[in-house]
mmCIF file with all atom_site columns, all heavy atoms in Angstrom:
data_model
loop_
_atom_site.group_PDB
_atom_site.id
_atom_site.type_symbol
_atom_site.label_atom_id
_atom_site.label_alt_id
_atom_site.label_comp_id
_atom_site.label_asym_id
_atom_site.label_entity_id
_atom_site.label_seq_id
_atom_site.pdbx_PDB_ins_code
_atom_site.Cartn_x
_atom_site.Cartn_y
_atom_site.Cartn_z
_atom_site.occupancy
_atom_site.B_iso_or_equiv
_atom_site.pdbx_formal_charge
_atom_site.auth_seq_id
_atom_site.auth_comp_id
_atom_site.auth_asym_id
_atom_site.auth_atom_id
_atom_site.pdbx_PDB_model_num
ATOM 1  N N   . LEU B 1 291 ? 118.119 88.784  82.093 1.00 76.00 ? 291 LEU B N   1
ATOM 2  C CA  . LEU B 1 291 ? 118.171 89.131  83.493 1.00 76.00 ? 291 LEU B CA  1
ATOM 3  C C   . LEU B 1 291 ? 119.254 90.146  83.766 1.00 76.00 ? 291 LEU B C   1
ATOM 4  O O   . LEU B 1 291 ? 119.027 91.152  84.467 1.00 76.00 ? 291 LEU B O   1
ATOM 5  C CB  . LEU B 1 291 ? 118.474 87.891  84.306 1.00 76.00 ? 291 LEU B CB  1
ATOM 6  C CG  . LEU B 1 291 ? 118.849 88.008  85.726 1.00 76.00 ? 291 LEU B CG  1
ATOM 7  C CD1 . LEU B 1 291 ? 117.626 88.430  86.532 1.00 76.00 ? 291 LEU B CD1 1
ATOM 8  C CD2 . LEU B 1 291 ? 119.451 86.786  86.285 1.00 76.00 ? 291 LEU B CD2 1
ATOM 9  N N   . LEU B 1 292 ? 120.420 89.911  83.146 1.00 80.00 ? 292 LEU B N   1
ATOM 10 C CA  . LEU B 1 292 ? 121.535 90.837  83.360 1.00 80.00 ? 292 LEU B CA  1
ATOM 11 C C   . LEU B 1 292 ? 121.183 92.243  82.893 1.00 80.00 ? 292 LEU B C   1
ATOM 12 O O   . LEU B 1 292 ? 121.482 93.262  83.525 1.00 80.00 ? 292 LEU B O   1
ATOM 13 C CB  . LEU B 1 292 ? 122.751 90.306  82.584 1.00 80.00 ? 292 LEU B CB  1
ATOM 14 C CG  . LEU B 1 292 ? 124.078 90.637  83.149 1.00 80.00 ? 292 LEU B CG  1
ATOM 15 C CD1 . LEU B 1 292 ? 124.203 90.036  84.557 1.00 80.00 ? 292 LEU B CD1 1
ATOM 16 C CD2 . LEU B 1 292 ? 125.190 90.113  82.301 1.00 80.00 ? 292 LEU B CD2 1
ATOM 17 N N   . ALA B 1 293 ? 120.486 92.316  81.722 1.00 79.00 ? 293 ALA B N   1
ATOM 18 C CA  . ALA B 1 293 ? 120.080 93.623  81.210 1.00 79.00 ? 293 ALA B CA  1
ATOM 19 C C   . ALA B 1 293 ? 119.181 94.311  82.243 1.00 79.00 ? 293 ALA B C   1
ATOM 20 O O   . ALA B 1 293 ? 119.292 95.532  82.480 1.00 79.00 ? 293 ALA B O   1
ATOM 21 C CB  . ALA B 1 293 ? 119.395 93.443  79.849 1.00 79.00 ? 293 ALA B CB  1
ATOM 22 N N   . GLY B 1 294 ? 118.311 93.532  82.836 1.00 74.00 ? 294 GLY B N   1
ATOM 23 C CA  . GLY B 1 294 ? 117.402 94.096  83.846 1.00 74.00 ? 294 GLY B CA  1
ATOM 24 C C   . GLY B 1 294 ? 118.192 94.607  85.027 1.00 74.00 ? 294 GLY B C   1
ATOM 25 O O   . GLY B 1 294 ? 117.907 95.754  85.525 1.00 74.00 ? 294 GLY B O   1
ATOM 26 N N   . VAL B 1 295 ? 119.136 93.859  85.449 1.00 74.00 ? 295 VAL B N   1
ATOM 27 C CA  . VAL B 1 295 ? 119.927 94.289  86.609 1.00 74.00 ? 295 VAL B CA  1
ATOM 28 C C   . VAL B 1 295 ? 120.600 95.604  86.335 1.00 74.00 ? 295 VAL B C   1
ATOM 29 O O   . VAL B 1 295 ? 120.588 96.549  87.128 1.00 74.00 ? 295 VAL B O   1
ATOM 30 C CB  . VAL B 1 295 ? 120.977 93.204  86.960 1.00 74.00 ? 295 VAL B CB  1
ATOM 31 C CG1 . VAL B 1 295 ? 122.000 93.763  87.913 1.00 74.00 ? 295 VAL B CG1 1
ATOM 32 C CG2 . VAL B 1 295 ? 120.328 91.991  87.557 1.00 74.00 ? 295 VAL B CG2 1
ATOM 33 N N   . ILE B 1 296 ? 121.205 95.724  85.096 1.00 79.00 ? 296 ILE B N   1
ATOM 34 C CA  . ILE B 1 296 ? 121.860 96.967  84.770 1.00 79.00 ? 296 ILE B CA  1
ATOM 35 C C   . ILE B 1 296 ? 120.882 98.105  84.765 1.00 79.00 ? 296 ILE B C   1
ATOM 36 O O   . ILE B 1 296 ? 121.135 99.207  85.218 1.00 79.00 ? 296 ILE B O   1
ATOM 37 C CB  . ILE B 1 296 ? 122.590 96.776  83.452 1.00 79.00 ? 296 ILE B CB  1
ATOM 38 C CG1 . ILE B 1 296 ? 123.751 95.815  83.606 1.00 79.00 ? 296 ILE B CG1 1
ATOM 39 C CG2 . ILE B 1 296 ? 123.082 98.144  82.933 1.00 79.00 ? 296 ILE B CG2 1
ATOM 40 C CD1 . ILE B 1 296 ? 124.355 95.330  82.339 1.00 79.00 ? 296 ILE B CD1 1
ATOM 41 N N   . GLY B 1 297 ? 119.716 97.805  84.200 1.00 74.00 ? 297 GLY B N   1
ATOM 42 C CA  . GLY B 1 297 ? 118.652 98.814  84.196 1.00 74.00 ? 297 GLY B CA  1
ATOM 43 C C   . GLY B 1 297 ? 118.324 99.320  85.594 1.00 74.00 ? 297 GLY B C   1
ATOM 44 O O   . GLY B 1 297 ? 118.249 100.499 85.804 1.00 74.00 ? 297 GLY B O   1
ATOM 45 N N   . VAL B 1 298 ? 118.156 98.401  86.541 1.00 71.00 ? 298 VAL B N   1
ATOM 46 C CA  . VAL B 1 298 ? 117.823 98.816  87.891 1.00 71.00 ? 298 VAL B CA  1
ATOM 47 C C   . VAL B 1 298 ? 118.961 99.647  88.463 1.00 71.00 ? 298 VAL B C   1
ATOM 48 O O   . VAL B 1 298 ? 118.769 100.729 89.078 1.00 71.00 ? 298 VAL B O   1
ATOM 49 C CB  . VAL B 1 298 ? 117.546 97.591  88.811 1.00 71.00 ? 298 VAL B CB  1
ATOM 50 C CG1 . VAL B 1 298 ? 117.491 98.044  90.279 1.00 71.00 ? 298 VAL B CG1 1
ATOM 51 C CG2 . VAL B 1 298 ? 116.288 96.915  88.419 1.00 71.00 ? 298 VAL B CG2 1
ATOM 52 N N   . LEU B 1 299 ? 120.206 99.155  88.261 1.00 70.00 ? 299 LEU B N   1
ATOM 53 C CA  . LEU B 1 299 ? 121.326 99.871  88.864 1.00 70.00 ? 299 LEU B CA  1
ATOM 54 C C   . LEU B 1 299 ? 121.442 101.270 88.372 1.00 70.00 ? 299 LEU B C   1
ATOM 55 O O   . LEU B 1 299 ? 121.738 102.214 89.116 1.00 70.00 ? 299 LEU B O   1
ATOM 56 C CB  . LEU B 1 299 ? 122.600 99.100  88.579 1.00 70.00 ? 299 LEU B CB  1
ATOM 57 C CG  . LEU B 1 299 ? 122.838 97.833  89.405 1.00 70.00 ? 299 LEU B CG  1
ATOM 58 C CD1 . LEU B 1 299 ? 124.084 97.132  88.944 1.00 70.00 ? 299 LEU B CD1 1
ATOM 59 C CD2 . LEU B 1 299 ? 122.955 98.236  90.883 1.00 70.00 ? 299 LEU B CD2 1
ATOM 60 N N   . ARG B 1 300 ? 121.121 101.449 87.071 1.00 73.00 ? 300 ARG B N   1
ATOM 61 C CA  . ARG B 1 300 ? 121.228 102.808 86.534 1.00 73.00 ? 300 ARG B CA  1
ATOM 62 C C   . ARG B 1 300 ? 120.064 103.675 87.081 1.00 73.00 ? 300 ARG B C   1
ATOM 63 O O   . ARG B 1 300 ? 120.176 104.876 87.269 1.00 73.00 ? 300 ARG B O   1
ATOM 64 C CB  . ARG B 1 300 ? 121.201 102.787 85.021 1.00 73.00 ? 300 ARG B CB  1
ATOM 65 C CG  . ARG B 1 300 ? 122.307 101.930 84.452 1.00 73.00 ? 300 ARG B CG  1
ATOM 66 C CD  . ARG B 1 300 ? 122.471 102.214 83.028 1.00 73.00 ? 300 ARG B CD  1
ATOM 67 N NE  . ARG B 1 300 ? 123.095 103.533 82.798 1.00 73.00 ? 300 ARG B NE  1
ATOM 68 C CZ  . ARG B 1 300 ? 123.553 103.928 81.645 1.00 73.00 ? 300 ARG B CZ  1
ATOM 69 N NH1 . ARG B 1 300 ? 123.475 103.176 80.611 1.00 73.00 ? 300 ARG B NH1 1
ATOM 70 N NH2 . ARG B 1 300 ? 124.094 105.104 81.543 1.00 73.00 ? 300 ARG B NH2 1
ATOM 71 N N   . ALA B 1 301 ? 118.932 103.034 87.212 1.00 68.00 ? 301 ALA B N   1
ATOM 72 C CA  . ALA B 1 301 ? 117.697 103.752 87.612 1.00 68.00 ? 301 ALA B CA  1
ATOM 73 C C   . ALA B 1 301 ? 117.801 104.327 89.015 1.00 68.00 ? 301 ALA B C   1
ATOM 74 O O   . ALA B 1 301 ? 117.299 105.382 89.315 1.00 68.00 ? 301 ALA B O   1
ATOM 75 C CB  . ALA B 1 301 ? 116.496 102.927 87.468 1.00 68.00 ? 301 ALA B CB  1
ATOM 76 N N   . VAL B 1 302 ? 118.450 103.542 89.916 1.00 64.00 ? 302 VAL B N   1
ATOM 77 C CA  . VAL B 1 302 ? 118.449 104.013 91.307 1.00 64.00 ? 302 VAL B CA  1
ATOM 78 C C   . VAL B 1 302 ? 119.356 105.196 91.541 1.00 64.00 ? 302 VAL B C   1
ATOM 79 O O   . VAL B 1 302 ? 119.379 105.769 92.596 1.00 64.00 ? 302 VAL B O   1
ATOM 80 C CB  . VAL B 1 302 ? 118.780 102.895 92.320 1.00 64.00 ? 302 VAL B CB  1
ATOM 81 C CG1 . VAL B 1 302 ? 117.714 101.835 92.305 1.00 64.00 ? 302 VAL B CG1 1
ATOM 82 C CG2 . VAL B 1 302 ? 120.110 102.263 91.994 1.00 64.00 ? 302 VAL B CG2 1
#
Side-chain angles (χ1 to χ4, degrees):
Chain B
L291 167 73
L292 210 60
V295 167
I296 292 167
V298 169
L299 283 176
R300 303 194 71 169
V302 294

